[in-house]
Amino acid sequence: MQNLLSDITKKIEQFIPTGCSIAKIEAEGPDIILYIDDIEKFYAVDNPVKDIANALKKKIIVRAAPQLLMKPDEAKETISKLIQAEAGVNEIRFSPEFHEVWIEAYKPGLVIGKGGTTLKEIIKSTGWAPKVLRTPTLPSEVVKSIRSTMLKEAELRKKFLLKTGKRIFSNVEKTSWIKITALGGFKEVGRSCIFLETSNDKIVLDAGLKFEATDTAKDFYPYVSTLNIPFDEINAIVLSHSHLDHCGFIPYFFAMGYEGPIYCTPPSRDLMALLTFDYIKVMKKQGLTPLYEEKDVRKALLHCITRDFGEVTDISPEIKLTLHNSGHILGSSVVHLHISDGLHNLVYSGDLKFSHTKLLNPAVNTFPRVETLILESTYGGKEDFHHPRPQAEEKVIKIVTETIAKGGKVLIPVFSVGRSQDIMLVFEEFARRNPDKANFKVYIDGMILEASAIHTVYPEYLKDSLQRMILSGKSPFESPIFEVVKGNRQEVIDGEPCVILAPSGMMTGGPSVEYFKALAGDPKNSIIFVGFNTNYSLGRKIQKGEKEVAIVGEDGRLETIQVKLRVETAEGFSGHSDRRQLTNYVKSMKPKPSLVLIDHGEPKKCEELAHSLSRLLGIDVRAPMDLDSIRLK
Ligand SMILES: [Zn+2]
Ligand SMILES: [Zn+2]
């Protein structure tokens, strides 16, 4: 550690303007923190931070030395005067451990000022380093509680970051081998988990849960016990995105003594909080013991080191991580790992959408280097061709208008994160363009509202057009066509013809099942599937056309439900690529990988995709099973 950080200090000193000096230099996780003695003089030069960051290829954070910090009350007053009223500041809080002032506003751009001028003024005049946060346009409990926890537990977080920094900037011998082991999500959908190992590092990529009625409970979790190592020997967890099949097992690591970092995008952190807290709630409601408690989720959140797309980050002495958009849900990433000075470059697709949706831009497939690609195959089977998006949208609107005209109701089971916002945008656009025809309400139930609120905190992660709408104060998620169900579902069930968006998407539980039970017996009603259903899920059974399904009732007894409503599927909405898009993703990938490993698909689909890709591209494509290990170098 001494060596690397002192080398870095020497390099940085060349950029420090004359007249000021570095009081202290620290590594907080992958970030280099400079404490500057004379902050006025430091900022007298154009942009020293940018020059230093460029030269070092690291994130540089500048803070004033402790004696320069103004008293918080005074500082608050000064800051309020420096920021224009239009910025909509609604909270100013201080984090003494980090010499930071957190400014929450509706228009962060106006707090920052042109070229960051206001921010510079704030640190120059108060000593506090400003951190600007966006206030969601819809109130979000999750965002509020994460921000408060981060401030409250700053001391703990600081300690963890310093410890992590120490490891990242330590000297190690170059590794001569790289190995990955499939711990979950290979030849199956669910419990995604990959273990990446070198002689220096032990890194986990995703750790999810599986939700399927299979024979034994152990099939719900990744095979971490086969690693035979204590969890505190793991150096880092990288999270591609926050669906439970990728993040649901992560708090368990913390329950078992892991205290290292989770690298992910800021929205992934927030959505992980939303979904894992809900997982605990659902388990308890069913009288089951969850794998971990709320305190473990909070611990996981405190250990998140968030990164935006495209930021190259040292996550260990030898491994650099970059997250890129994967087009699947808010904040979802393709993970790029540059290992041991380019000895190997690994790309892990996470869940992938290689085409435009209403919500997101298509997945990135250009990288500086790639040798191995791990690719999902949810819809990689021979017959998996989705309709184009516009056709799928038309289909939904057609079924909805037909059903409403007959006096029926339409149930659309959706994942609360991702598909629900995508479908909401379809109805928002329909209502905006056809005010005369949009004579029905679209009810949103479960966590959809909270998930949508989180979307409004991160407009920069959304598609450009959507970003513009949110930034100009016209968030489509607040269209008058939407009505939030606040508790009383029976009123919706007994009420006027309408559309109901409710989780869970695969009908493995949640409000969608409750609505289904009430609506299934009436042929006037419809159900539309817009997302993925695993083989044994209730959703799949209904989708396949079963006329009678058994559902566990509130009292734990099986209830038989007659399926008389109209059952439809609109495939083009999936947040996953279909076979053609997956093929195009690899075909147009720059540069071409030499090895492709297929995961995240039913066995047949993994094999079919592996076979066709290897024939088409003439490269080594394999479909490993859980517990297979592959030496990459
Ligand atoms: Zn996903
Ligand atoms: Zn997934």
Side-chain angles (χ1 to χ4, degrees), residues 121-140:
E121 276 314 309
I122 292 173
I123 191 168
K124 271 159 71 180
S125 49
T126 69
W128 293 91
K131 179 169 168 169
V132 188
L133 304 162
R134 185 184 299 280
T135 310
T137 62
L138 287 164
S140 162

Side-chain angles (χ1 to χ4, degrees), residues 241-246 328-329 332 350-352 415 575-576 600:
H241 71 287
S242 285
H243 275 142
L244 280 178
D245 60 323
H246 299 257
H328 172 64
I329 60 166
S332 68
D351 289 357
L352 197 80
F415 280 119
H576 295 273
H600 205 288

Side-chain angles (χ1 to χ4, degrees), residues 423-550:
I423 299 286
M424 279 174 86
L425 294 176
V426 174
F427 285 110
E428 184 274 336
E429 192 182 284
F430 173 74
R432 189 159 29 92
R433 296 200 171 152
N434 310 276
D436 50 320
K437 289 185 198 151
N439 52 352
F440 54 88
K441 283 274 170 219
V442 176
Y443 286 99
I444 56 176
D445 201 333
M447 295 185 307
I448 298 173
L449 182 69
E450 179 61 46
S452 306
I454 296 175
H455 281 68
T456 70
V457 187
Y458 301 106
E460 62 278 17
Y461 279 81
L462 302 170
K463 204 172 159 163
D464 304 349
S465 50
L466 185 55
Q467 206 177 109
R468 277 195 299 275
M469 285 175 86
I470 293 176
L471 292 178
S472 62
K474 292 184 199 109
S475 164
F477 302 117
E478 286 152 67
S479 157
I481 193 167
F482 303 121
E483 187 88 29
V484 178
V485 182
K486 293 193 184 99
N488 200 349
R489 292 183 182 130
Q490 200 54 46
E491 273 176 29
V492 178
I493 291 162
D494 297 337
E496 295 288 302
C498 62
V499 176
I500 304 162
L501 303 183
S504 73
M506 301 196 281
M507 301 180 71
T508 44
S512 61
V513 179
E514 210 175 302
Y515 287 112
F516 175 75
K517 283 202 265 184
L519 302 177
D522 188 344
K524 285 207 298 289
N525 297 329
S526 306
I527 185 167
I528 313 175
F529 291 99
V530 291
F532 180 72
N533 281 311
T534 53
N535 250 338
Y536 301 99
S537 59
L538 175 61
R540 177 69 65 91
K541 285 182 193 151
I542 301 165
Q543 195 180 22
K544 276 196 313 208
E546 289 189 15
K547 290 288 163 229
E548 218 178 73
V549 290

